[in-house]
Amino acid sequence: MTVVPAALPTLLVLDADPLPRLGRLTGRARVLHTDEASLAARLPAADVLLVWDFTSHAVRAAWPGEGPRPRWVHTASAGVDHLLCPELAASDTVVTNARGIFDEPIAEYVAALILAMAKDLPRSWELQQRGEWRHRESARVSGTRAVVVGSGPIGRAIARTLKALGMTTAVVGRVPRTGIHGPQDLDRLLARADWVIAAAPLTEQTYGMFDTRRFGVMQPSARFVNVGRGPLVVEDALVRALERRWIAGAALDVLTTEPLAADSPLWHVPGLLISPHMSGDTVGWRDELGTQFVELFERWAAGRPLKNVVDKQRGYVPGH
């Protein structure tokens, strides 16, 4: 049995299957694994916490307990709302996220959803299952207007991809700057948009931002896509907007409650496409997340500044 020197930093991993590949850290860190039930007991011994199970809210519950806390927490996700609690936000612990891994995959997924809705592909599949030949006309996306709500790397990647399809895009962020609209422009832009894409982080300011009023502002021909966080949307308001045809359609890759129960009425809402939080998950994505963490760990161990540092008061990585 290999004896690990006590001087090595202790890395605690909140596990999810499959486990991260951390072989490069052999002999450089004392790696411990934990589940949700034992997280609170093991936190005081950790120098670093890797939240590999990024669907878990266990960190929020365990962090306020007694004893020392890790100096650095990394989550293998873009969002950090699942782990931030007042005690963690007020501490001197550094929090980092997986910024940069999901940008292009999510942008591709959004483009796929838009094309699927514009070309009526779900209906074509339904008709094929019935063996029914029914010619229809579809819509063009080139020349249409899209509003992307969220000006981080994911939102900007979405805007670039939609521009490549010939769409006119506007990006809305927390703070207006060159090429980015501020929140005060959102309603005006929504009123003219053919496509509205939610890609914002979940914060106090964005929670429930797409409500009855916002769906009422949109055109009857508009379609809505959420690839940000589920609670950005008041789901009952979206259902009413679709049933009353205030908007033409919607697609949700993230929902307030995940996984969505089999008996949820959302499955059967006319004009709504649902996917199981998979827009950023392409083949090999877990390996990319593991590699990113190892590279960050090497920077941390060498005393170099970490990348992807979250502003714990804002709830995201401040950026360009």
Side-chain angles (χ1 to χ4, degrees):
M1 178 182 295
T2 302
V3 177
V4 180
L8 291 180
T10 297
L11 166 61
L12 182 63
V13 183
L14 179 58
D15 287 342
D17 188 38
L19 296 176
R21 297 181 181 180
L22 302 175
R24 278 170 54 184
L25 300 184
T26 301
R28 304 165 69 184
R30 178 172 175 256
V31 181
L32 303 178
H33 293 268
T34 185
D35 57 15
E36 291 185 344
S38 58
L39 176 62
R42 295 190 175 185
L43 269 181
D47 297 298
V48 179
L49 173 64
L50 168 58
V51 185
W52 190 247
D53 183 0
F54 52 81
T55 66
S56 172
H57 289 76
V59 176
R60 292 176 61 94
W63 195 270
E66 297 295 328
R69 288 296 179 259
R71 292 174 281 159
W72 168 35
V73 174
H74 176 79
T75 179
S77 61
V80 298
D81 52 279
H82 60 291
L83 59 87
L84 281 183
C85 60
E87 293 80 3
L88 175 52
S91 73
D92 57 3
T93 295
V94 176
V95 175
T96 57
N97 72 353
R99 179 183 173 112
I101 298 294
F102 302 107
D103 308 355
E104 299 302 332
I106 292 178
E108 292 175 2
Y109 200 89
V110 169
L113 288 172
I114 287 175
L115 289 169
M117 288 189 280
K119 305 307 177 184
D120 201 21
L121 297 186
R123 182 65 171 159
S124 292
W125 177 249
E126 292 173 6
L127 293 170
Q128 179 179 339
Q129 302 313 295
R130 301 204 300 260
E132 184 175 343
W133 179 280
R134 184 183 300 180
H135 179 270
R136 286 122 45 231
E137 294 179 344
S138 64
R140 295 184 62 176
V141 298
S142 177
T144 61
R145 296 188 181 96
V147 174
V148 181
V149 182
S151 61
I154 292 173
R156 298 198 304 274
I158 292 169
R160 289 194 302 271
T161 300
L162 299 187
K163 284 181 181 178
L165 294 175
M167 300 170 69
T168 300
T169 63
V171 179
V172 178
R174 179 176 179 271
V175 178
R177 54 194 186 275
T178 303
I180 305 294
H181 294 269
Q184 69 276 6
D185 294 331
L186 180 56
D187 287 354
R188 174 179 60 81
L189 293 168
L190 291 181
R192 302 178 59 202
D194 301 294
W195 306 93
V196 177
I197 300 94
L202 183 61
T203 67
E204 290 183 3
Q205 291 72 35
T206 62
Y207 190 98
M209 68 182 300
F210 290 99
D211 55 11
T212 297
R213 188 185 69 80
R214 285 263 161 73
F215 289 121
V217 167
M218 297 179 196
Q219 302 183 92
S221 59
R223 291 180 172 90
F224 174 78
V225 176
N226 187 14
V227 290
R229 308 298 285 176
L232 296 176
V233 178
V234 179
E235 290 172 353
D236 288 345
L238 174 60
V239 170
R240 286 194 298 273
L242 289 168
E243 291 177 342
R244 298 175 185 179
R245 300 190 179 182
W246 293 353
I247 62 174
L252 300 177
D253 183 58
V254 288
L255 295 111
T256 299
T257 301
E258 298 179 2
L260 186 63
D263 60 354
S264 171
L266 286 174
W267 292 113
H268 309 291
V269 175
L272 177 61
L273 290 173
I274 291 176
S275 54
H277 204 149
M278 57 182 283
S279 61
D281 302 347
T282 52
V283 176
W285 66 286
R286 289 184 178 87
D287 289 340
E288 291 183 51
L289 287 170
T291 297
Q292 180 188 55
F293 173 73
V294 169
E295 291 174 351
L296 285 172
F297 187 93
E298 290 171 343
R299 294 180 67 93
W300 178 82
R304 298 165 59 199
L306 285 168
K307 298 179 179 179
N308 293 4
V309 175
V310 173
D311 182 322
K312 293 183 291 182
Q313 303 306 314
R314 296 182 182 179
Y316 56 88
V317 179
H320 316 296

